[in-house]
Each structure stands twice: as C-alpha cells, then as structure tokens.
Amino acid sequence: MRELLQAPDSDPDEKGISVIQLGGDKSMDQLLTIRLGEGRTKFADVFKMEEGNLIEVADMGVKQLCISYSGSMALWLCGVLVLFCASDAAQAMLVTDMDYGGIPLWINRLLGEPSVLSLQGRMDPAWFRANNPQFCPEQCVCPIQWPTSLYCDNIALEHIPEGLPPRTQYLFLQANNISSLSSSILANITGLRWLIIDNNQLKSENLEIGSLENQKDLRYFFANNNHLTSVPNGLPAGLKQLRLANNLISSISPGAFQNLEYLSVLLLQGNRLQTITEADLKGLVRLNLLDVSGNLFSSVPRHLPPSVQQLYLSNNSFSSLDEDSFEGFLDLKYLRLSRCGLQSVSIHPQAFNHSSLVELDLSYNKLTTIPTVPTTLQYLYLEANKIKEFNVTSFCREVGPLSYSRMKILRLDGNEMTYHQLPPDWVYCLRVLLRIFI
C-alpha cells in the first residue's frame, strides 16, 4: 500500500515535495527525525535504539529534533527528551544548542561531567562566591554543584587567568579574545580532562608545545574558530576528541598524531588543507569520525585511517571519484559528499561498492543520473541535483527473492523528474523502502 503525502510546510526546502510513504511496520532505528540547519531531513542521522536504550547518535550536526512516531511511542520519546534536556540527575545528556564544531556532546553525569552550556547571565557569580568556600578566579564562575569545573567563558578575556585552582578538571574558555596558551599557565593543574577554548584568537605560534603535553588526563581539546595554521604537536596520548574546525590550518605538524591511539573524533572542517600525506594521520588506529569538509581538496584524500566509519568530505571540489577512492576502510558506514561539484561522468560505477555503507549523501551536486550503489545501502540523499530519470539498475543489478535493495529512505527532491516517471517495477527492487522524496 502506498500513501502520497505532502512534506511539512515548516521546512522551506521541502514545500511541494511529493513524499511516498510505504506501508509496513516502522523499525526501531527510525524513531527520531533530525532536521539540519540547511533544510535537509536526514533519516539516517537519528538516535539508534536497541531494546529501549539510546545507544548511538549518528548525525553530528543536530539543529532540531522532530518526533516522527505517533501514539504512545511518541509520548515516551518526548519524555526521554525532556528528561535528557531538563534533568541534572540524568545519567547522560545530549547538548545540541551550542556548536563545538558541529557535533553534539554527551555528558556523563556518573563521571561528574558538568554542563557545557555557558553560565554567564544564567547564574549569579556573587551567590556562588558567598556559598562556595573554595578559591575561584575573580573573572570566572565556580559552581558548587560541579566543584571541578571552571567557567571563564564569554567575558572578553585576553589572557587565561593566572593561578587556576589545582582541582580544575573542566576548563571553559570559549568566546574570549585569548591569543596564546603557555605551559606555565596550566602548570598548577594536573588532572585537566576538558579544555574548551573555542571562538578565541589562538594562534599556532603562540601555542607552546609543552602546554598540553603534561596533561595526561586530558580527553577533550576543542579549539574551533581560532586562528591556528597547523595541527599542534605535543598533544597528550589519552586524548579522545580533537576539534579544530574553522581555523586556518593548511598543514599537520610532523608526528602530531603519532601517539594518539585513543583519538576517536577529529574535526578539521573549514580549514585550508589541500593534501594529506601518508605520515600525517599515522597513529590514529581508533579514529571513528573524521570531518575534513570545507577544505581545499581537489581529490579524495588518500592515506586515511582504516578505522574511520564516518567520513565527511562535503564542500570540497572533487574532479572525480575513482574505483579505489574509498578503498582501505574496514567498516565505512557514513559518507558525505554534498556540494562537491560532482558530475555523473566523473564517478566510477564501482566508487561506492562497499557493503558496509549505511548512508551516502550526494546532495547539491551536478549529477544527471543515479549512481550505482550497493544493495545494502539504507539511506541515500540525492536532492538538489539534475537527475532526469530513475534507473532501477542503480539499486538492483538483479531482482529476486533474496536480491533486492535494503534502501529505507531515498531523497530525489529538487531534481528534474517527478514521481510519475518512476518505472512500474521499482517497488520490486526497493521493496523495504519506507519513504521516497521526489
């Protein structure tokens, strides 16, 4: 059974789009729809659920959460979101309304991790000073509920305050005018876990190599939206997330990642990288997410860590995709190539021949035909191209009892075709499809 639906009027990019929703039970991995800032709806970028437990966030650019289920399940999910967003007693919380390089943060309350929302203008520092006997730098806020946290953000600091308390584990310095980071300023702290210095004036020449090297417990270092020109050296071996989005980085210091075997998230989008050499990312054996969108690559960079499962390459200028452009990955699942100027004639038929792929984003390119994709692919985004026809063979080389596409969501809106052009046999190939936008 098919039902023709109209896309929600609340999304300006989806007005007038025909949405064909196929009947059948909805699977548990599609409980939430995430609408991104550019108007696209990513159905693969959802909270993954397993036996009622939130276990994964696939998308890292969350701007708005929309319940896509009705009835008691939707009410249950609303309760979950309220609990996550409003309760300090919750074990984990997803923070989505601050940038931090475009990836939400999970907060583990059991580990005593604090809020990453700014306290400026929300809580009276004088009250904390009157009720907190511990030392706190005059410009900063030291909340008594998070005694190891120091909030020195959004106060136009030009230098990091001296005499930071030795108890500090979570240091928030974002949205200031800080241009340097010296080893002496952190010498008094031995258990630092998070250092967030986004939206400052930090420069590579003013970042002392030894400033972070002795911070053995450091897990997060965020320096998005600064003036760094290279990936710094001397990062501690236990680092798990390094976020350096929207800087001026054109090179990676030799050996910068050599000892970072635990790093799982690396954000380098919005920089000036043109190439990645074999030695540049050597040592990243556990890297899961790599974002190098919005750089100056003219071809897909080689020598990327085989462990990467989420690879974001959007907003580069790729002349072609070869048969081996994505070879070497052990379990590549999420691949984003939107706004890369790609044309159909420049994509090799076997470029996406990876059975591990779950999501492929080719939106906002110059494609005239649907590229060949593996039958195991579940989410394909081709909106805002120049596609004129629907080729079943792009999804199924043959159709049979066990030969069919596992596609769940297919976006073809913003192209040069309508749903009337769908061939009559497409439903036999895309038999488990939930929605097609056309």
Side-chain angles (χ1 to χ4, degrees), residues 48 56 58 309-311 332-336 358-359:
K48 300 297 179 74
E56 179 183 353
Q309 295 185 7
Q310 301 178 68
L311 179 59
L332 183 62
K333 293 182 178 179
Y334 301 92
L335 179 59
R336 296 190 178 173
V358 173
E359 173 192 287

Side-chain angles (χ1 to χ4, degrees), residues 208-216 218 231-237 239 253-257 259-260:
E208 291 187 12
I209 293 180
S211 58
L212 300 175
E213 198 167 16
N214 295 325
Q215 299 296 331
K216 305 300 182 184
L218 191 66
V231 176
N233 255 326
L235 297 171
L239 200 65
S253 302
F257 298 111
N259 299 315
L260 302 187

Side-chain angles (χ1 to χ4, degrees), residues 142-188:
C142 301
I144 56 177
Q145 65 267 44
W146 299 302
T148 59
S149 302
L150 193 60
Y151 293 83
C152 306
D153 59 288
N154 290 276
I155 51 177
L157 289 176
E158 295 186 359
H159 305 282
I160 299 175
E162 295 183 0
L164 297 176
R167 68 178 186 276
T168 304
Q169 295 183 8
Y170 306 95
L171 181 56
F172 298 90
L173 296 165
Q174 65 267 31
N176 284 296
N177 297 312
I178 299 170
S179 60
S180 63
L181 179 61
S182 64
S183 54
S184 60
I185 203 70
L186 300 177
N188 203 35

Side-chain angles (χ1 to χ4, degrees), residues 370-381:
I370 299 174
T372 302
V373 296
T375 57
T376 52
L377 191 69
Q378 298 181 37
Y379 306 93
L380 178 59
Y381 307 104

Side-chain angles (χ1 to χ4, degrees), residues 286-323:
R286 288 181 173 88
L287 191 65
N288 178 279
L289 188 152
L290 175 61
D291 193 341
V292 289
S293 303
N295 276 275
L296 302 176
F297 295 111
S298 58
S299 62
V300 176
R302 308 287 178 161
H303 314 299
L304 301 181
S307 61
V308 170
Q309 295 185 7
Q310 301 178 68
L311 179 59
Y312 301 161
L313 295 164
S314 299
N315 290 288
N316 283 286
S317 298
F318 296 143
S319 57
S320 64
L321 297 180
D322 301 326
E323 181 178 6

Side-chain angles (χ1 to χ4, degrees), residues 285-434:
V285 296
R286 288 181 173 88
L287 191 65
N288 178 279
L289 188 152
L290 175 61
D291 193 341
V292 289
S293 303
N295 276 275
L296 302 176
F297 295 111
S298 58
S299 62
V300 176
R302 308 287 178 161
H303 314 299
L304 301 181
S307 61
V308 170
Q309 295 185 7
Q310 301 178 68
L311 179 59
Y312 301 161
L313 295 164
S314 299
N315 290 288
N316 283 286
S317 298
F318 296 143
S319 57
S320 64
L321 297 180
D322 301 326
E323 181 178 6
D324 61 348
S325 289
F326 304 105
E327 277 191 357
F329 294 104
L330 301 176
D331 195 22
L332 183 62
K333 293 182 178 179
Y334 301 92
L335 179 59
R336 296 190 178 173
L337 290 159
S338 64
R339 293 183 168 89
C340 288
L342 290 169
Q343 302 182 35
S344 293
V345 295
S346 64
I347 300 179
H348 192 280
Q350 299 299 314
F352 305 119
N353 187 26
H354 293 268
S355 60
S356 61
L357 270 181
V358 173
E359 173 192 287
L360 176 60
D361 184 359
L362 290 167
S363 60
Y364 296 89
N365 280 290
K366 301 176 182 178
L367 304 180
T368 54
T369 60
I370 299 174
T372 302
V373 296
T375 57
T376 52
L377 191 69
Q378 298 181 37
Y379 306 93
L380 178 59
Y381 307 104
L382 292 167
E383 65 267 31
N385 278 280
K386 299 180 180 180
I387 298 171
K388 299 180 180 180
E389 59 179 346
F390 188 97
N391 299 315
V392 174
T393 54
S394 296
F395 306 94
C396 299
R397 266 52 77 191
E398 60 181 23
V399 178
L402 299 177
S403 301
Y404 59 92
S405 172
R406 274 62 176 179
M407 191 72 63
K408 295 180 179 179
I409 303 299
L410 175 60
R411 294 205 53 173
L412 286 165
D413 44 292
N415 282 282
E416 300 177 10
M417 60 179 294
T418 67
Y419 71 93
H420 297 290
Q421 295 175 258
L422 293 175
D425 59 343
W426 73 276
V427 294
Y428 300 110
C429 169
L430 302 173
R431 64 184 67 170
V432 298
L433 191 71
L434 294 177

